[in-house]
Amino acid sequence: MKLTDEERSSLDRVIVCINGKGGVLKTTLVANISGLLAASGYRVLAVDLDPQGNLAEDFGYTGDARDDDGRSLAQTLLFGGVAQPVRDVRPGLDVLVGGSALDQATAGLAARANKDPNGAKLALANVLASIASDYDMILLDCPPGDEMLQTAAVAAARWALVPVKTDKSSRKGLSAVAARLDAVLDINPTLDLLGVVLTAVGSGSTNVERRARGLVAEMLNSEEDIVFEPTVRHSEATAQATRERGLLVHELDAQVQDGPKWYEIRRGTAEAQVLAPQTASSVADDLHALTTALVERISQSEHEGADA
């Protein structure tokens, strides 16, 4: 079983964010890149494939009527039909909601793989092919340890975005990613590595960053430009504030920038707001730079393909 050329072509702007190791900011990247693209006028679909359903916290719909804990997505993966995303979580941004029901999808796909391995691998690709024309970009948030859902994600994607911390343990996850990509090339021959992004990089860690770039390139037998120039720092204060308020980082930053000045509060002409971390601005800049670089890399590839 394979997708038709037309179905595969419809998935040319599907990006899977993947690493076999958790805690490397996969969900943060998917949520914030999706939000920035939508704010720029793209029509975007974010797909939460994680049974933990953490995209709900980033987008602010945890526990409300939109949060079905992944039941709709799980049923569509197992039984087919047209997926029903939650519409306009942000203007121009829809979400296929994740959550614990995806554990059932994992079990079902594992059982299907015994009789129809390619069918199990292509379950998500078939779901997305039916709605991909509605979107300019689709981003997939992968769980760190679920082999079935990871495989379904890379089988559906045109591009793989791999976030990696600079530590040795995090870089080791690259080998697992490479193996996962290789395992679906027979049914997804256009799959390619969009790039690696270094995350949780300290602003003064120049030598650490330089060394990590070289080691990543060496592990992938590639040039160092496979690693995106923009890095994404991690601020625990910003991460907590965004998830507590259901805001993306650029939304939190805008709240900080638009907030009243201290002297306005002192004069009584404005009321104090709930404090927001000043680091939001730096993290927002990082995410904006990465999103810009990602779009440029995809656009360049598409332009070169059109000229070939």
Side-chain angles (χ1 to χ4, degrees), residues 112-215:
R112 181 179 178 182
N114 291 325
K115 297 181 179 179
D116 180 15
N118 284 350
K121 291 178 182 178
L122 289 170
L124 180 62
N126 283 309
V127 169
L128 295 181
S130 65
I131 59 173
S133 61
D134 295 338
Y135 300 99
D136 301 309
M137 206 80 76
I138 299 175
L139 286 92
L140 314 178
D141 183 24
C142 267
D146 191 315
E147 181 178 347
M148 290 305 305
L149 291 178
Q150 280 191 7
T151 299
V154 295
R158 170 65 178 86
W159 300 106
L161 176 67
V162 185
V164 175
K165 289 184 178 180
T166 57
D167 61 279
K168 182 178 181 181
S169 175
S170 182
R171 293 196 308 272
K172 284 174 64 177
L174 281 173
S175 298
V177 171
R180 190 76 72 238
L181 301 186
D182 288 342
V184 299
L185 287 178
D186 58 329
I187 55 172
N188 186 9
T190 61
L191 177 64
D192 202 356
L193 178 62
L194 182 60
V196 175
V197 54
L198 296 179
T199 62
V201 178
S203 57
S205 306
T206 305
N207 290 334
V208 172
E209 179 185 335
R210 184 185 302 115
R211 182 170 181 272
R213 287 180 181 277
L215 288 171

Side-chain angles (χ1 to χ4, degrees), residues 45-67:
L45 175 66
V47 183
D48 189 352
L49 290 166
D50 195 330
Q52 294 186 33
N54 287 334
L55 272 182
E57 296 181 11
D58 290 77
F59 289 132
Y61 59 78
T62 302
D64 70 21
R66 296 169 292 181
D67 187 1

Side-chain angles (χ1 to χ4, degrees), residues 49-300:
L49 290 166
D50 195 330
Q52 294 186 33
N54 287 334
L55 272 182
E57 296 181 11
D58 290 77
F59 289 132
Y61 59 78
T62 302
D64 70 21
R66 296 169 292 181
D67 187 1
D68 74 347
D69 206 25
R71 286 187 291 274
S72 177
L73 177 55
Q75 289 173 6
T76 310
L77 286 170
L78 291 174
F79 306 115
V82 179
Q84 300 296 327
V86 172
R87 303 290 181 182
D88 291 322
V89 171
R90 297 293 190 278
L93 172 58
D94 298 345
V95 178
L96 281 173
V97 176
S100 61
L102 288 171
D103 286 330
Q104 300 171 16
T106 296
L109 290 176
R112 181 179 178 182
N114 291 325
K115 297 181 179 179
D116 180 15
N118 284 350
K121 291 178 182 178
L122 289 170
L124 180 62
N126 283 309
V127 169
L128 295 181
S130 65
I131 59 173
S133 61
D134 295 338
Y135 300 99
D136 301 309
M137 206 80 76
I138 299 175
L139 286 92
L140 314 178
D141 183 24
C142 267
D146 191 315
E147 181 178 347
M148 290 305 305
L149 291 178
Q150 280 191 7
T151 299
V154 295
R158 170 65 178 86
W159 300 106
L161 176 67
V162 185
V164 175
K165 289 184 178 180
T166 57
D167 61 279
K168 182 178 181 181
S169 175
S170 182
R171 293 196 308 272
K172 284 174 64 177
L174 281 173
S175 298
V177 171
R180 190 76 72 238
L181 301 186
D182 288 342
V184 299
L185 287 178
D186 58 329
I187 55 172
N188 186 9
T190 61
L191 177 64
D192 202 356
L193 178 62
L194 182 60
V196 175
V197 54
L198 296 179
T199 62
V201 178
S203 57
S205 306
T206 305
N207 290 334
V208 172
E209 179 185 335
R210 184 185 302 115
R211 182 170 181 272
R213 287 180 181 277
L215 288 171
V216 167
E218 183 179 334
M219 289 180 68
L220 296 174
N221 295 315
S222 180
E223 301 294 329
E224 286 198 24
D225 61 4
I226 196 64
V227 184
F228 280 98
E229 185 62 31
T231 61
V232 178
R233 73 197 81 188
H234 176 65
S235 161
E236 190 61 32
T238 294
Q240 289 185 5
T242 53
R243 290 194 166 176
E244 285 174 0
R245 303 179 198 186
L247 296 173
L248 300 174
V249 177
H250 69 275
E251 295 168 341
L252 180 65
D253 181 43
Q255 195 176 83
V256 172
Q257 301 302 325
D258 293 341
K261 306 296 187 289
W262 65 270
Y263 53 81
E264 294 173 331
I265 299 171
R266 187 175 180 83
R267 290 172 184 168
T269 58
E271 294 184 359
Q273 294 183 347
V274 177
L275 292 177
Q278 294 298 314
T279 51
S281 182
S282 298
V283 179
D285 288 344
D286 291 348
L287 290 163
H288 186 275
L290 175 62
T291 302
T292 301
L294 179 151
V295 171
E296 289 175 348
R297 194 167 284 193
I298 291 175
S299 298
Q300 180 181 356

